[in-house]
Amino acid sequence: MVMTPTNQPRLKVLLFTNLFPNPVDNTRGIFTEQLARELGEICDVTVICPLPWFPNLAFLRRFPRWFEFAQVPGEYTIRGTKVFSPKYIVLPRVSEPLLAALMFIGTYLTVRRLHRAKKFDVINSMWLYPDSVAAGWIARRLGIPMVPTALGCDVNRMLNEGGKRRQILSMLQNAHSITAVSAALRDGMVSHGIPGARISTIPNGVDVSLFHLRDKWSSRKLLGLPTDKKIALYVGRLSEEKGLTTIVKSLARLKSHRSDFLFCLVGDGPLFNELKALAQSINVAENCLFAGQQDHVAVAGWLGACDVFCLPSLREGCPNVVIEALSSGRPVVASRVGGIPEMVRADTGILVEPQDVEGFADALDAALYERTWDDATIADSMNGATWRSAAERYNLAYHSAVEGA
């Protein structure tokens, strides 16, 4: 059990992150919102969510990925949380090495104004680049201790990109305390020379009021899903790093000797049409259901309805959806990457090397047809993985940063 510091004042925390729900996309960074809600019980939390600037002109609606940013106001309240959302200039594909500088320029005055009114004790920035690099420059100018948090690709990929690596490492070397959502990410930073003693591993939590054991057949009835088929489920963005072409290709191998299965993909993204075309080309379209984007409450129902959850990612940090699937009592078939091996045990799932089509086909076959799973044991494996526990650990990291400043 994590003990929160006692006899100490409630810290005033600025949570700095581009991953937070907004009126246009109320599922964006929902895990950050869940953490912020619990932090608010033990800290005084202010949320700032910098987003790219885009012209709010009707004829630009044909660029939906960018146009949605134009619809997000500079200040808004979502589910009771007040959020400040300053905008910064982005030039797609051109400004990648400059993103932190551009974010700094777009957010500094807002943070300075808020700091003058509230006097923040600490800044916690989620995502090492560009967020934490920009927040680090702001923190130094305003004299505020900072705690950067590593989430996944910021360590797995960006620390191997020259221009970003230099900025990230400089920021980490100056940070008062560092957190990571998995031990794998901590080890990744240590391998680049960051002292492990300064890094706290704080896994994400789960909303147990939503993600818990549910009756499979009732869940399927509510969603209109078949009761005479085995159902595997993916939830998340349909994008390259999620390795979805691997899992779709594996279905053709599975179909060579099984027919009564359905693979449901819940989510949207740039690979939506490509994956549908792939399924058609390899004759597994009738075994795939593209359900589109669903809200967080609906996802809990989909997890309740499935037999197995799948995550064939090429890289990951601490994927919340794996915690949610396990908490729902569903076994997980996933890539052996990032923090996933820290969550999935032999009695709660099967791990496969990324991009291994045959391996995923065999794992799905075993998980759906051969193995007998104990739903209660799987759900119990996530006991203690609450957002309150995570918030208390973050609070310890904040106090450490303040004391060491």
Side-chain angles (χ1 to χ4, degrees), residues 54-310:
F54 194 77
N56 191 8
L57 301 172
F59 74 92
L60 294 175
R61 291 180 183 275
R62 64 180 183 273
F63 303 105
R65 179 188 172 194
W66 294 98
F67 188 73
E68 71 173 43
F69 294 132
Q71 308 305 300
V72 179
E75 297 181 16
Y76 61 88
T77 299
I78 187 160
R79 292 186 281 268
T81 300
K82 176 68 177 289
V83 181
F84 299 88
S85 185
K87 307 302 188 291
Y88 63 98
I89 299 293
V90 173
L91 302 175
R93 293 189 296 275
V94 176
S95 58
E96 276 291 313
L98 302 175
L99 279 179
L102 294 169
M103 184 180 282
F104 167 79
I105 293 169
T107 59
Y108 174 71
L109 291 179
T110 299
V111 176
R112 188 181 69 174
R113 171 173 60 84
L114 294 172
H115 180 53
R116 285 177 174 174
K118 185 162 270 190
K119 300 299 180 187
F120 297 116
D121 296 302
V122 64
I123 298 176
N124 179 199
S125 52
M126 298 282 170
W127 205 250
L128 300 187
Y129 186 91
D131 303 50
S132 291
V133 173
W137 291 333
I138 293 171
R140 286 201 296 277
R141 287 181 68 91
L142 298 179
I144 311 171
M146 189 187 78
V147 177
T149 296
L151 298 178
C153 289
D154 45 1
V155 172
N156 297 329
R157 179 169 57 84
M158 294 179 188
L159 273 179
N160 295 313
E161 299 176 6
K164 295 178 185 177
R165 179 175 63 248
R166 289 189 292 273
Q167 295 179 64
I168 293 170
L169 290 178
S170 175
M171 176 272 300
L172 290 174
Q173 288 159 359
N174 286 286
H176 297 82
S177 182
I178 303 165
T179 67
V181 296
S182 73
L185 295 177
R186 177 187 179 278
D187 293 344
M189 288 185 280
V190 170
S191 71
H192 282 82
I194 304 303
R198 292 170 51 208
I199 308 172
S200 301
T201 300
I202 309 177
N204 288 339
V206 63
D207 183 351
V208 293
S209 69
L210 268 182
F211 299 97
H212 51 76
L213 285 174
R214 295 171 184 259
D215 180 73
K216 186 181 300 181
W217 313 116
S218 297
S219 297
R220 290 190 183 187
K221 183 178 180 180
L222 287 171
L223 292 168
L225 294 173
T227 57
D228 60 345
K229 294 181 183 294
K230 299 287 187 179
I231 295 181
L233 173 70
Y234 166 83
V235 177
R237 184 168 164 77
L238 307 186
S239 52
E240 176 272 335
E241 73 276 4
K242 297 302 182 180
L244 292 167
T245 55
T246 295
I247 203 76
V248 172
K249 289 177 181 177
S250 77
L251 300 180
R253 179 179 173 89
L254 182 64
K255 193 173 181 179
S256 67
H257 58 288
R258 308 286 191 185
S259 59
D260 61 331
F261 69 88
L262 182 66
F263 179 48
C264 301
L265 297 94
V266 172
D268 201 353
L271 294 189
F272 186 91
N273 291 329
E274 180 180 326
L275 290 169
K276 291 190 77 170
L278 174 62
Q280 187 71 41
S281 70
I282 60 176
N283 197 34
V284 296
E286 65 181 16
N287 300 97
C288 293
L289 172 63
F290 289 82
Q293 187 75 30
Q294 306 282 326
D295 65 31
H296 206 224
V297 173
V299 167
W302 283 89
L303 285 168
C306 76
D307 293 291
V308 172
F309 176 77
C310 304

Side-chain angles (χ1 to χ4, degrees), residues 233-237 241-244 247 263 309-316 318-322 332-337 340 343 350-352 360:
L233 173 70
Y234 166 83
V235 177
R237 184 168 164 77
E241 73 276 4
K242 297 302 182 180
L244 292 167
I247 203 76
F263 179 48
F309 176 77
C310 304
L311 189 64
S313 299
L314 305 182
R315 51 188 178 267
E316 280 290 353
C318 177
N320 248 68
V321 70
V322 170
V332 171
V333 171
S335 299
R336 190 180 285 105
V337 297
I340 295 176
M343 296 182 279
I350 302 173
L351 298 182
V352 183
F360 269 100

Side-chain angles (χ1 to χ4, degrees), residues 23-35:
V24 181
D25 183 356
N26 65 9
T27 65
R28 178 185 177 88
I30 198 163
F31 58 91
T32 317
E33 180 194 16
Q34 292 172 310
L35 174 62

